[in-house]
Each structure stands twice: as structure tokens, then as C-alpha cells.
Amino acid sequence: MGVSIFFNVFNLFIFAFLLHPLAAHKASVEYCNKKANYAVKVNGVDIDPYPITRGKEAKFNISATTEKSISKGKLVIDVTYFFFHVYEETDILCTKTTCPVSGDFVLSHKQSLPGYTPPGSYTLQMKLLGEDNEELTCITFGFSIGFIPAVAAG
């Protein structure tokens, strides 16, 4: 009887922690140029769900702060898989947060990945450019795409 309970608890652990995506993840963020004094300081990146599930929407919330008042700009996102450039996107800043930006703010980005997206580790670089393409910040962080597609993980 004790062995049966052990296997039931073990199976529950496997399902809950290894096969089912976690609720959210705080990514480790690095600045592209560690010596730069960027006008926008990034406090953190939350990714939900984590790892990202192929075929389902993922949400990236980037918390930041600035002493400037920023009314225009763009986000340039580049993604690499190992050393291969696999995705690029440019968005208008004010579609990702409320403008004008000043003080503490959050950039929100949602992305759905196709079911055929290869599982594994990716690196995302995000640049926030001001009106005259001034680099207000540039960060990189890693994220993972799970091995189980949305149909099986559902």
C-alpha cells in the first residue's frame, strides 16, 4: 500500500512540475552595453506562461523606469535560436504602454508561437529607441520554449 501511495504522489509531481507549464517566470536581464548609461532602466521581465508553450499565447511584461518624458519611440525585438537569427519585430512604443512614458512603467507584449516552433533555449534582444533613433535602452534575456505542444499540454 505504501508503494502505491508513493507512485501516485510521484506521478502527481511529474505532471505538476515537469509536464505542466509554470505560471510565470522572472527572466534574468542583462544590458547590451554594460557601460552605457541608458535613459530607461529595466527592472525586470516577467514571462507567462513559462516555459512558453508552442501554439499558445505568451505574455512578456517588462517593468522599467525613466526620468525622461517619452512620447514617441519604437521597440525593436530580435530573437536568436542558438546563433541563428530567427525573428525580428518592430512595434510603436505607445502600442505597448500608455504614453507619454515617465517614472515607472510596464511594456506589455503578447506573442503566439506556431506549433512547429522548435523547443529549446532562445535569446531575445529588445531595444527601445526614441524619436531620433536614440537608444534609450537595450536588454537581452533568455527564455525557453517547452517540448510539449499546446495540444498535448492543454
Side-chain angles (χ1 to χ4, degrees), residues 21-23 47-60 96 109-114 150:
L22 300 175
I47 305 170
D48 187 23
Y50 196 82
I52 294 170
T53 304
R54 297 177 286 158
K56 286 198 173 184
E57 185 176 81
K59 185 173 185 181
F60 297 81
K96 302 298 178 184
H109 179 74
K110 294 179 182 178
Q111 187 75 45
S112 292
L113 300 171

Side-chain angles (χ1 to χ4, degrees), residues 5 12 16 22 29 41 56 77 82 86 109 118 121 128 138 141 146:
I5 291 173
L12 181 62
L22 300 175
V29 177
K41 310 291 187 215
K56 286 198 173 184
I77 297 169
F82 295 103
V86 295
H109 179 74
S121 297
L128 175 55
C138 179
F141 59 90

Side-chain angles (χ1 to χ4, degrees), residues 31-51:
Y31 287 103
C32 302
N33 180 348
K34 292 170 183 47
K35 295 180 182 179
N37 186 21
Y38 294 115
V40 174
K41 310 291 187 215
V42 175
N43 302 320
V45 175
D46 291 322
I47 305 170
D48 187 23
Y50 196 82

Side-chain angles (χ1 to χ4, degrees), residues 54-74:
R54 297 177 286 158
K56 286 198 173 184
E57 185 176 81
K59 185 173 185 181
F60 297 81
N61 283 328
I62 301 161
S63 57
T65 189
T66 185
E67 294 179 6
K68 292 180 78 165
S69 180
I70 305 166
S71 57
K72 291 182 181 176
K74 62 184 175 183

Side-chain angles (χ1 to χ4, degrees), residues 38-40 68-76 90-93 127-138:
Y38 294 115
V40 174
K68 292 180 78 165
S69 180
I70 305 166
S71 57
K72 291 182 181 176
K74 62 184 175 183
L75 293 173
V76 179
T90 300
D91 293 305
I92 297 169
L93 170 67
K127 291 182 183 182
L128 175 55
L129 304 175
E131 286 187 57
D132 298 320
N133 282 333
E134 171 193 7
E135 194 170 87
L136 300 174
T137 200
C138 179

Side-chain angles (χ1 to χ4, degrees), residues 80-142:
T80 56
Y81 181 60
F82 295 103
F83 297 104
F84 300 103
H85 182 263
V86 295
Y87 183 77
E88 183 176 326
E89 181 177 335
T90 300
D91 293 305
I92 297 169
L93 170 67
C94 298
T95 64
K96 302 298 178 184
T97 192
T98 304
C99 287
V101 170
S102 64
D104 294 334
F105 64 98
V106 175
L107 298 167
S108 292
H109 179 74
K110 294 179 182 178
Q111 187 75 45
S112 292
L113 300 171
Y116 58 81
T117 303
S121 297
Y122 289 75
T123 301
L124 185 144
Q125 179 185 73
M126 185 205 75
K127 291 182 183 182
L128 175 55
L129 304 175
E131 286 187 57
D132 298 320
N133 282 333
E134 171 193 7
E135 194 170 87
L136 300 174
T137 200
C138 179
I139 60 168
T140 63
F141 59 90

